[in-house]
Each structure stands twice: as structure tokens, then as C-alpha cells.
Amino acid sequence: MLKIRELRENEIPPIPSNVAEAERLRRLEFSVLDAGYVRFVDLMGDDGAIVDAARISRAATDRLGEEEAGVFLDALARRGHWSPFEMVELKFRVRAPIYVLRQWLRHRTASAQETSGRYVDSDLAFQSACNEWRGVDGKPLPPEVCDKLGELEYDACAALETVYTERLRRGVVREQARKELPLSTYSEAYWKIDLRNLFNFLRLRTDDSAQYEIRRYAKTIGEQIVKPLFPSAYAAFEEHDLYAVRLSRSEAGLLRGMNLANETRLLEAEKQLGIDGARRFFGKLSKQRVEI
Ligand SMILES: Cc1cc2nc3c(=O)[nH]c(=O)nc-3n(C[C@H](O)[C@H](O)[C@H](O)COP(=O)(O)OP(=O)(O)OC[C@H]3O[C@@H](n4cnc5c(N)ncnc54)[C@H](O)[C@@H]3O)c2cc1C
């Protein structure tokens, strides 16, 4: 027989603390590149939901205050316990050039739904380099070169647009008519991902080894949307992942050999990291893997 019990006050999941922030963000569109955007659509959970999920392993029934929760999330990230961050999900609607979406959709742990060029006329907005062409050394090319490339870009896009619209006018199906449309054509998608894998996306796609155009999207998502919605989780991500470094065996050996744990450095580390932080730091420097 089905038994129903009313939960006690401390058992009821609290209203997420980021409801008002989510409502504010839902009303905004963040422009990216010349005609792209990022919109926040929906979410499940807040900083507290990650803490609650992690604390079930100790059968905790009380709730942590905001400050304690921040310390807890920092400790989770420091120890590499990222699975509780999967309890939170975010959904976005994005408009990006196809060549950016192609990189974006390589992140397999997300769910995506994209506009179909078979069912909808492509809107024929092509992302323009806006005459800011980068050379292979990453520096801008001279203005006269950029002007010439801009003209060529304009002519090529205009010609491809004519080919596409002429095919449609003559009754060609969209799926075939689109085949010469450039990778710079804008497309739209819904994109849903949990916070752990979103952090992975943000670390990879804001890195300066990633293409500038996708970095613009990742930076917008991270700083404009994720940071205000999950202030403590984002701070933990910045501290232990985004701005952290991982050393190779040889690099760690080199650092160990530098004998950094002298009195002056210890004091300096304690001042910057606190006593526990300094202890952890020097502990890491002296740590050797124990072979079994
Ligand atoms: C600068 C840069 C250059 C790149 N260049 C190329 C390129 O030239 N060609 C190309 O094809 N891709 C390229 N990529 C894409 C890259 O190889 C990854 O596919 C992409 O960044 C997604 O990363 P991810 O696998 O960590 O993320 P996700 O796919 O979201 O996966 C997240 C994590 O889940 C786990 N996971 C997911 N799927 C599996 C699986 N099948 N098996 C085991 N574990 C899994 C892994 O731990 C993974 O890190 C590039 C990416 C970057 C950032």
C-alpha cells in the first residue's frame, strides 16, 4: 500500500538561493561576435544543492550557512571531488557561427538541439571577421590587407547567398540548397549541461589555446551567467581548476629540488595562504608517490 508522509521542515529541499538572479538573467541576451548571442534559459540547483548532495555521504541532515557552504565547496574542489557538481544543470540558448558550434558540440557530456537547415531557411547571417584578421603569429594583419580580405569575404558571401536563394526559388529542397553555405553561417541551439562538465568546457574553451571566437562565448557564459548564479562553486572552480596548474613528474621533481621550504618562504606562504594552506602547499612539494 502506498504510504505518504509529510516531510519535516528540515527535510524539505529549500527554495534555491539563486531564483532572483536566474529571473534577472532569463531576461537578458548577451551579444557575442557580430550577430551571435548567449541566453540563459533554465537551471536546476544552486550552490547549496551541490553541498547537500555531497553531504549525503555522511548522512548529514542539517544545512550549512552561506559561508560554511563556500568553505565546503572549496574543500570539495581542492580534493577533486567534482561529482556533486553534476547535481546542478544549466540550459542555454545560443546563436553562433557553424564553425564555432562544431567545436562546441564536441563536448559530449552535454545535450544539444540545433535548428535544422532541412526544415528552416538559413537566415543568411554570416559571421564577419569585421576586418580584424589575425596572422599566424596571432597579431592583427595590416589594415590594407584586412580591407582587401574584407572585400573578398563580402563578395564570396553575397555570391553564396545568391546561389542558395536561387536554388530555393527554383524549388530545390533546403537540405540540398544549403550545401555551399559557408561555415560562418549563424545557427542556433539549445545546450544543456551539468556544472561539472560546464566547468570542463569553460576551462578548455577560455584557455588561450582555444580559438578566439569560441573563447568569447565561453567567457560570456562563465563570467556573466555561471559566476553570479553559483558564486561559491565558481570561486572554487577558479581557485582549484581554472587558475590552477598541474605539474609533470619532472617539473614537480625540479620544484622539490629547489628547497623552497625555508623560513622566509614559510612565513610568506602562511601570510598568503593561511597556516593550513601553507601546510598543504609545502606538503604537496614534498609529496612522493608511494609505490605498492
Ligand atoms: C584547443 C582545442 C583544440 C582541439 N582540437 C581538436 C581537433 O583538432 N580535432 C578534434 O576532433 N577535436 C579537437 N578538440 C576537441 C577535444 O578533443 C575534446 O573533444 C573537446 O574539447 C571536449 O572535451 P572533453 O572530452 O573533456 O569534454 P566532454 O566530451 O564533455 O567530456 C567530459 C569528460 O567526460 C569524459 N568522457 C566523455 N566521453 C568519454 C568517452 N567516450 N570515454 C571516456 N571518457 C569520456 C572525459 O573525462 C572527458 O574529459 C579540441 C579542443 C580544444 C580545447
Side-chain angles (χ1 to χ4, degrees), residues 185-231:
T185 311
Y186 274 96
S187 183
E188 291 187 46
Y190 277 111
W191 191 63
K192 180 177 76 72
I193 189 163
D194 66 58
L195 192 57
R196 176 199 192 154
N197 287 296
L198 180 54
F199 283 160
N200 182 48
F201 171 86
L202 294 177
R203 178 176 27 75
L204 290 169
R205 299 301 181 177
T206 55
D207 190 83
D208 55 13
S209 61
Q211 183 167 341
Y212 169 80
E213 283 77 7
I214 196 164
R215 277 161 60 197
R216 302 305 316 156
Y217 284 91
K219 197 171 157 63
T220 303
I221 289 177
E223 290 182 2
Q224 302 295 329
I225 300 175
V226 185
K227 189 174 183 170
L229 286 173
F230 298 92

Side-chain angles (χ1 to χ4, degrees), residues 95 116 156 190 234 237 254 274:
R95 185 170 196 259
S116 169
Y190 277 111
Y234 197 83
F237 160 63
L254 187 66

Side-chain angles (χ1 to χ4, degrees), residues 270-285:
E270 281 184 12
K271 216 157 57 181
Q272 289 200 31
L273 306 172
I275 293 178
D276 286 349
R279 199 171 292 150
R280 275 196 297 270
F281 174 58
F282 289 110
K284 274 185 204 169
L285 291 185

Side-chain angles (χ1 to χ4, degrees), residues 47 70 74 77 199 227 230-241:
D47 280 335
D74 185 82
F199 283 160
K227 189 174 183 170
F230 298 92
S232 297
Y234 197 83
F237 160 63
E238 286 186 310
E239 177 67 16
H240 299 290
D241 190 0

Side-chain angles (χ1 to χ4, degrees), residues 125-155:
F126 306 122
Q127 186 249 332
S128 165
C130 302
N131 274 7
E132 291 170 1
W133 299 92
R134 304 186 290 279
V136 286
D137 57 2
K139 296 195 179 120
L141 291 174
E144 62 281 8
V145 176
C146 290
D147 286 349
K148 181 67 196 160
L149 293 178
E151 269 172 45
L152 288 173
E153 179 189 40
Y154 180 85
D155 292 347

Side-chain angles (χ1 to χ4, degrees), residues 93-128:
R93 183 175 172 139
V94 301
R95 185 170 196 259
I98 288 170
Y99 73 88
V100 169
L101 277 181
R102 187 163 162 178
Q103 297 176 351
W104 200 320
L105 301 183
R106 290 285 284 118
H107 292 261
R108 298 153 294 174
T109 47
S111 302
Q113 207 65 38
E114 190 187 349
T115 307
S116 169
R118 295 183 72 190
Y119 307 129
V120 178
D121 287 357
S122 294
D123 69 3
L124 300 181
F126 306 122
Q127 186 249 332
S128 165

